[in-house]
Amino acid sequence: ACKTQRKEQSMAQGTILINGSVFPFEPGQTILQVAEAHEIHIPTLCYLKGASPTGRCRICVVEVEGCSNLMTACDTPAADGMVIMTESPRVVDSRRETLELMLASGNHNCSIGSGRDSEWTEVQMQAVASDNFDTLCPSWGDCRLQDLAYHYQAEGGKYPRRQPPYPMETINPLIVRDHSRCILCGRCVQACNEVQVNRAINFGYQGDATKIVTDGDVPLKDSDQCVFCGECIQVCPTGALTEKKARFDWRPWEVEKIRTTCPYCGVGCQQWLHVKDGRIVKVTGVEEGAPNKGRLCVKGRFGYDFIYSDERLTTPLIREGEAFREASWDEALDLVAAKFKEIIEESGPDAVAGVSCARSINEDSYQMQKLFRGVFKTNNIDHCART
């Protein structure tokens, strides 16, 4: 009843009182949005910016004067005259209780660890040896649930741990789905359906059997919708979804984060390279960076280990007979230019043609068509998108 009343009042612009301070708000803003706009932190787990708020996890609850129940800040509209407490004893107790229930919902051992040492411990070595090792989570140190459990001093063993009925899915090359660490927050579902709009995953079954399913509960690799963009990994607040190549191979304190632009096409997506000992071990999207706002495609997120392939060419090659020999860039470019000149002189400019990669940057495609039209004097220039 309190929420219904507040929704009716939220159409008018006004002010609300948060932790004793008065703040204005715009019509339609939620309590969480008003708080964030004024740098007041309210913790969340299920909330995903840009997606429809659900209030599913109840970590963002706040105390609203006049309401008998605690209200979820992510989906409760601000209303004129609201008086809100974001960290009252009642709120803190509720968040701690919710976290303790989450810790008991599966394989969540957030208090287990060896500190942020640079050397692998025996526990970590056991974790690397087996994906099914349940002591050290692959997201330990990079887990929102763990952060909140530490912050609110939640007890990990207060309730008996529930044994999830579903096995780990490891049969694709990119993503590990560990249902034992899933808290059913729904962030991955929102990311797939509302952010990337692939509609590959959703909630399935009911009650204690609820799980995140793909199509008719098939592995990701058998899905017709999943394109392995990895957005679900980026938004997962626990160790339920992890990148297979980086699993147990990195911790956030071991890496240097370097911002760069994805080289795969002309969109210009912003990336964080997570570099350990001079090697890229993980790539994530820059959530505040335009134009992608954290989103990446399968190549941008996962296609980085070719850099270290022994088969990668590192110098130009020139064919001599049936073999190739290494050459300098100057020699190779001079040879190509000479061949073009020879062909054009003998057969005319229309004897040559070019196809530009439509996924290259616009500047490169522009320069290539200028080369053919302005220098070679032919209009035989095309690009792959048309075909």
Side-chain angles (χ1 to χ4, degrees):
C2 176
K3 185 175 288 190
T4 302
Q5 177 185 1
R6 296 303 183 186
K7 285 182 177 178
E8 292 172 352
Q9 294 176 358
S10 66
M11 298 305 293
Q13 184 175 1
T15 60
I16 61 175
L17 191 73
I18 303 180
N19 299 338
S21 298
V22 178
F23 300 104
F25 66 89
E26 298 294 328
Q29 281 188 309
T30 63
I31 295 174
L32 179 63
Q33 290 172 329
V34 178
E36 287 182 337
H38 297 91
E39 299 183 350
I40 298 173
H41 176 66
I42 297 176
T44 63
L45 270 176
C46 69
Y47 175 72
L48 182 62
K49 193 172 183 178
S52 303
T54 63
R56 188 180 185 90
C57 73
R58 294 197 60 79
I59 290 296
C60 70
V61 291
V62 294
E63 192 167 357
V64 180
E65 188 177 272
C67 295
S68 58
N69 296 325
L70 297 178
M71 309 302 293
T72 46
C74 69
D75 65 346
T76 301
D80 189 36
M82 265 186 172
V83 178
I84 300 163
M85 296 293 292
T86 66
E87 291 284 341
S88 67
R90 186 183 173 199
V91 167
V92 171
D93 288 344
S94 174
R95 289 174 184 166
R96 183 184 297 116
E97 181 75 8
T98 299
L99 288 166
E100 288 170 346
L101 290 169
M102 286 182 179
L103 293 175
S105 69
N107 185 15
H108 306 294
N109 37 29
C110 296
S111 62
I112 297 175
S114 59
R116 298 191 172 190
D117 298 327
S118 59
E119 299 296 325
W120 288 104
T121 65
E122 182 180 350
V123 171
Q124 290 169 318
M125 291 299 291
Q126 288 176 293
V128 172
S130 171
D131 268 339
N132 293 314
F133 185 74
D134 66 356
T135 300
L136 186 68
C137 175
S139 295
W140 188 79
D142 186 39
C143 173
R144 182 63 178 147
L145 176 62
Q146 180 187 47
D147 292 342
L148 290 173
Y150 283 159
H151 180 80
Y152 288 100
Q153 300 179 354
E155 293 183 38
K158 185 175 179 180
Y159 298 101
R161 185 202 289 184
R162 173 179 174 266
Q163 296 300 322
Y166 304 111
M168 188 183 303
E169 180 186 314
T170 62
I171 56 174
N172 69 75
L174 300 176
I175 299 175
V176 173
R177 302 172 74 198
D178 187 349
H179 297 286
S180 74
R181 302 187 192 275
C182 178
I183 59 174
L184 298 174
C185 65
R187 279 173 63 91
C188 61
V189 174
Q190 289 182 299
C192 187
N193 289 273
E194 297 187 44
V195 178
Q196 291 283 28
V197 200
N198 291 320
R199 300 188 176 92
I201 58 176
N202 216 320
F203 287 96
Y205 307 107
Q206 294 179 342
D208 289 343
T210 302
K211 67 180 288 195
I212 306 300
V213 299
T214 308
D215 297 338
D217 197 10
V218 299
L220 283 177
K221 71 178 185 65
D222 297 328
S223 166
D224 292 333
Q225 283 79 36
C226 180
V227 296
F228 285 93
C229 66
E231 188 72 15
C232 55
I233 296 177
Q234 176 130 350
V235 303
C236 180
T238 69
L241 294 166
T242 52
E243 181 181 341
K244 198 169 190 177
K245 292 188 292 185
R247 190 174 170 86
F248 294 119
D249 194 38
W250 83 290
R251 300 292 175 184
W253 56 89
E254 296 177 326
V255 299
E256 177 187 4
K257 285 177 65 176
I258 300 173
R259 181 167 170 169
T260 189
T261 301
C262 180
Y264 274 109
C265 76
V267 172
C269 292
Q270 295 300 292
Q271 300 174 318
W272 286 115
L273 306 182
H274 301 260
V275 180
K276 176 182 177 182
D277 299 328
R279 293 175 65 93
I280 300 170
V281 294
K282 185 181 176 73
V283 174
T284 54
V286 180
E287 294 187 0
E288 71 278 8
N292 53 313
K293 299 295 183 180
R295 297 181 288 272
L296 293 172
C297 72
V298 61
K299 293 189 290 186
R301 192 179 302 276
F302 298 112
Y304 56 84
D305 43 1
F306 75 92
I307 298 170
Y308 309 107
S309 171
D310 293 336
E311 298 179 353
R312 187 179 182 191
L313 297 179
T314 57
T315 184
L317 301 177
I318 292 177
R319 180 188 292 276
E320 291 184 346
E322 295 300 318
F324 290 93
R325 67 170 177 84
E326 292 187 356
S328 68
W329 278 104
D330 284 342
E331 182 184 7
L333 291 172
D334 286 346
L335 175 62
V336 172
K339 290 291 186 181
F340 273 131
K341 290 178 180 177
E342 180 181 331
I343 293 170
I344 292 170
E345 183 175 344
E346 291 180 354
S347 306
D350 286 337
V352 297
V355 178
S356 179
C357 176
R359 295 183 67 82
S360 66
I361 61 175
N362 291 336
E363 291 81 358
D364 282 353
S365 290
Y366 173 79
Q367 292 286 8
M368 185 160 176
Q369 65 85 28
K370 187 175 181 180
L371 172 69
F372 274 77
R373 292 190 172 110
V375 179
F376 294 169
K377 307 300 183 184
T378 180
N379 288 322
N380 291 343
I381 178 73
D382 208 341
H383 61 91
C384 60
R386 190 182 62 78
T387 57

